[in-house]
């Protein structure tokens, strides 16, 4: 253990004890956060417009504050952008996290002085907790890399504005900044492939001990490292690489390929950050799911996913959730997001402590025939058949084919980029269909009832998804290909790379 890890270990142990304490009393923590949010919210334009002075209970709150998406808070955001204070939260935001929406165009998500610890302290806590739990602190004694978007910020009404990953870059403490790669100049490069080449140049000869990023873009980094170095394994380049930190997508579909490139299974820490807040993180290496960040300025609500578009959906808070139920995630936070529909769906795998898995996106599902297939189902089915048949998949997405070009029954089309095409693709597809039937009773009814025919796999050429993302101007950074779509917009583009 090096000097830095020895110095930090007592602090890491304290962080771990704190996490154990508040996670054991998560419901009480949520009660206190709710009370604090309402008390501060009374002084804001939003609070006055929604009668916060009369709120005495959670039931009072849901009677006054409807669930809304970005369009619902946009008028308040515009008031902030016009220079007004005390609109959604006290004062003005410390930052705007700038992100793109599918219907709202550019979104400006407020980050307040009060919410900064949630965004930028939670990642630290996740890593320090990992150190305390496992004793592995060697990553603190080498170089670390965060594959992210540009840290360059603009201003909106005097408020620093940029991507969350860019804002995060400015929050890295001085003691870690000396170990951080790539350089600020390289991080500012917008073109992903140019940036990736510079990152490889800067890191190839370094003692990299921690690598962090979204799995498909980390895969590109690994491949470029091996191509440039002539080595066969990433561990031949970085022998002290000891922890991989990731978030944004389910790691499992990428695990086999990444471990092949690295040359071993590297310990990992999963995180669940969003522009709106840091939701959860992996707190235990042997237990499934991510620990809900229940003591960090966010009051969480949960709506049964099949009710989210209802006029009066059921709204629950943490004390009422049940394992295995698919919930739409709603947040209320100390930056002024109220009843905000994050767009994600989650399922709890445990309520003591409260651990969850991300099951998909509200808008990323297939229900062209009432089947309501979600991301978790397609990913688990693909993962199992790949494991059974020794197949590796680079990337895939699924879309309905309502009007097959050759006629016949409609079906679900799986557009798949294989690392190597299965020897028996029809058998692979048939097993995949069996697994989908086992997971989704509505899908089973449609197959058995001859309303849908079994799924069809369309294999795509190598790098199809990267080329597609490049054609959309979304190569690299935090961009992800949706796993599911209820239309054929993405499928129609990807079909150009069909084998």
């Amino acid at each position: 253990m090096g000097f830095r890890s020895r110095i930090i270990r007592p602090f890491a142990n304290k962080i771990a004890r704190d996490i154990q304490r508040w996670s054991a009393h998560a419901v009480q923590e949520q009660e206190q956060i709710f009370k604090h949010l309402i008390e501060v919210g009374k002084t804001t334009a939003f609070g006055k417009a929604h009668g916060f002075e009369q709120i005495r209970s959670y039931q009072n709150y849901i009677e006054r504050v409807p669930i809304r998406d970005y369009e619902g808070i946009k008028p308040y955001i515009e008031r902030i952008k016009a220079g007004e204070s005390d609109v959604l939260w006290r004062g003005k935001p410390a930052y705007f996290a700038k992100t793109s929406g599918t219907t709202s165009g550019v979104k400006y998500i407020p980050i307040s002085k009060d919410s900064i610890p949630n965004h930028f302290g939670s990642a630290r806590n996740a890593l320090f907790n990992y150190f305390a739990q496992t004793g592995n602190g060697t990553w603190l004694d080498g170089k670390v890399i965060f594959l992210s978007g540009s840290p360059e910020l603009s201003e909106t009404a005097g408020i620093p504005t940029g991507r969350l990953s860019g804002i995060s870059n400015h929050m890295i403490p001085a003691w870690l900044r000396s170990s951080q790669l790539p350089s600020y100049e390289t991080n500012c490069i917008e073109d992903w492939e140019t940036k990736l080449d510079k990152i490889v140049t800067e890191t190839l000869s370094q003692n990299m001990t921690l690598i962090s990023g979204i799995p498909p873009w980390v895969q590109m980094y690994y491949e470029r490292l091996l191509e440039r170095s002539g080595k066969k394994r990433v561990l031949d380049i970085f022998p002290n690489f000891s922890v991989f930190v990731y978030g944004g997508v389910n790691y499992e579909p990428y695990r086999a390929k990444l471990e092949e490139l690295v040359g071993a299974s590297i310990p990992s820490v999963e995180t669940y950050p969003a522009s709106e807040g840091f939701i959860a993180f992996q707190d235990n290496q042997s237990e499934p799911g991510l620990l809900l960040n229940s003591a960090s300025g966010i009051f969480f609500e949960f709506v049964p996913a099949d009710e989210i578009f209802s006029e009066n959906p059921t709204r629950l808070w943490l004390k009422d959730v049940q394992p295995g139920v698919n919930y739409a995630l709603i947040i209320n936070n100390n930056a002024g997001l109220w009843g905000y529909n994050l767009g994600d769906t989650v399922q709890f795998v445990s309520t003591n402590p409260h651990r969850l898995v991300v099951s998909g996106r509200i808008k990323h599902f297939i229900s062209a025939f009432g089947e309501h297939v979600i991301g978790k189902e397609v990913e688990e089915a693909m993962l199992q058949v790949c494991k059974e048949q020794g197949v590796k998949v680079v990337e895939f997405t699924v879309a309905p084919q309502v009007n097959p070009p050759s006629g016949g029954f409609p079906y679900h089309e799986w557009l798949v980029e294989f690392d190597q095409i299965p020897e028996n693709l029809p058998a692979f597809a048939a097993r995949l269909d069996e697994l989908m039937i086992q997971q989704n009773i509505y899908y089973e009814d449609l197959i058995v009832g001859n309303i849908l025919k079994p799924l069809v796999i369309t294999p795509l050429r190598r790098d199809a998804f990267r080329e597609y993302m490049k054609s959309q101007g979304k190569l690299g950074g935090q961009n992800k290909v949706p796993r599911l779509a209820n239309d054929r917009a993405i499928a129609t583009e990807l079909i150009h790379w069909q084998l």
Side-chain angles (χ1 to χ4, degrees), residues 101-400:
T102 54
T103 59
S104 303
V106 176
K107 298 192 292 186
Y108 294 83
I109 305 299
I111 297 174
S112 69
K113 290 180 181 178
D114 295 316
S115 71
I116 284 175
N118 163 263
H119 282 281
F120 310 118
S122 297
R124 175 207 63 197
N125 291 351
L127 282 168
F128 282 7
N129 178 72
Y130 166 78
F131 180 11
Q133 295 280 343
T134 65
N136 177 16
T138 56
W139 55 273
L140 285 159
D141 299 313
K143 298 289 186 180
V144 302
I145 184 170
F146 305 100
L147 294 173
S148 65
S150 171
E152 287 191 308
L153 303 180
S154 59
E155 283 201 352
T156 305
I159 299 169
T161 302
R163 300 169 186 165
L164 179 65
S165 58
I167 297 170
S168 301
N169 194 277
H170 293 271
M171 295 291 163
I172 293 173
W175 64 265
L176 183 57
R177 191 172 294 280
S178 61
S179 300
Q180 179 198 2
L181 289 170
S183 66
Y184 184 86
E185 293 73 22
T186 293
N187 233 355
C188 289
I189 297 172
E190 289 289 347
D191 179 75
W192 171 246
E193 292 184 293
T194 303
K195 180 175 181 173
L196 186 58
D197 281 333
K198 289 285 288 183
I199 290 173
V200 169
T201 298
E202 291 186 1
T203 58
L204 199 52
S205 61
Q206 298 294 321
N207 177 30
M208 304 304 303
T209 52
L210 179 148
I211 295 172
S212 174
I214 293 178
W217 308 121
V218 172
Q219 181 178 330
M220 287 186 71
Y221 172 56
Y222 289 167
E223 290 171 345
R224 199 68 58 89
L225 280 168
L226 298 179
E227 178 185 331
R228 182 86 66 85
S229 67
K231 304 288 187 181
K232 293 185 177 180
R233 310 182 313 157
V234 171
L235 281 175
D236 293 332
I237 306 169
F238 306 139
N240 296 318
F241 176 25
S242 64
V243 63
F244 173 49
V245 183
Y246 66 94
V249 299
N250 182 4
Y251 182 31
E252 294 309 317
Y254 305 95
R255 183 184 294 275
K257 182 60 180 179
L258 290 180
E259 290 181 353
E260 176 189 305
L261 292 168
V262 171
S265 176
I266 296 293
S268 60
V269 177
E270 183 177 1
T271 62
Y272 179 9
S275 297
E276 295 83 356
F278 203 113
I279 309 301
F281 58 86
Q282 184 179 356
D283 70 310
N284 191 299
Q285 290 289 300
S286 59
E287 295 293 333
L290 307 180
L291 184 69
L292 187 70
N293 208 3
S294 55
S296 187
I298 302 175
F299 178 76
F300 295 98
E301 297 182 81
F302 305 89
V303 174
D306 57 1
E307 295 185 36
I308 190 60
F309 297 116
S310 302
E311 188 173 340
N312 293 298
T314 302
R315 292 170 71 172
L316 308 171
W317 68 292
L318 196 61
K319 74 178 182 65
D320 298 316
V321 297
Q322 299 293 325
V325 179
N326 204 36
Y327 294 113
L329 182 59
I330 312 298
I331 68 170
N332 307 268
N333 74 355
N334 53 4
L337 297 179
W338 304 101
Y340 187 89
N341 182 355
L342 196 62
D344 290 342
T345 58
V346 299
Q347 291 181 9
F348 282 92
V349 296
S350 165
T351 54
N352 185 26
H354 290 85
R355 294 196 183 102
L356 54 77
V357 295
V358 180
S359 53
R361 294 281 294 169
I362 290 168
K363 294 181 180 178
H364 295 168
F365 62 90
I366 298 178
S367 197
F369 308 93
E371 63 274 39
H372 207 89
V373 168
I374 62 173
K376 180 174 179 286
E377 293 167 345
V378 298
E379 288 188 337
E380 289 186 355
M382 178 62 86
L383 185 66
Q384 185 169 334
V385 71
C386 285
K387 185 176 180 181
E388 290 174 357
Q389 300 192 16
V391 172
K392 294 187 181 72
V393 165
V394 176
E395 188 63 275
F396 72 96
T397 191
V398 188

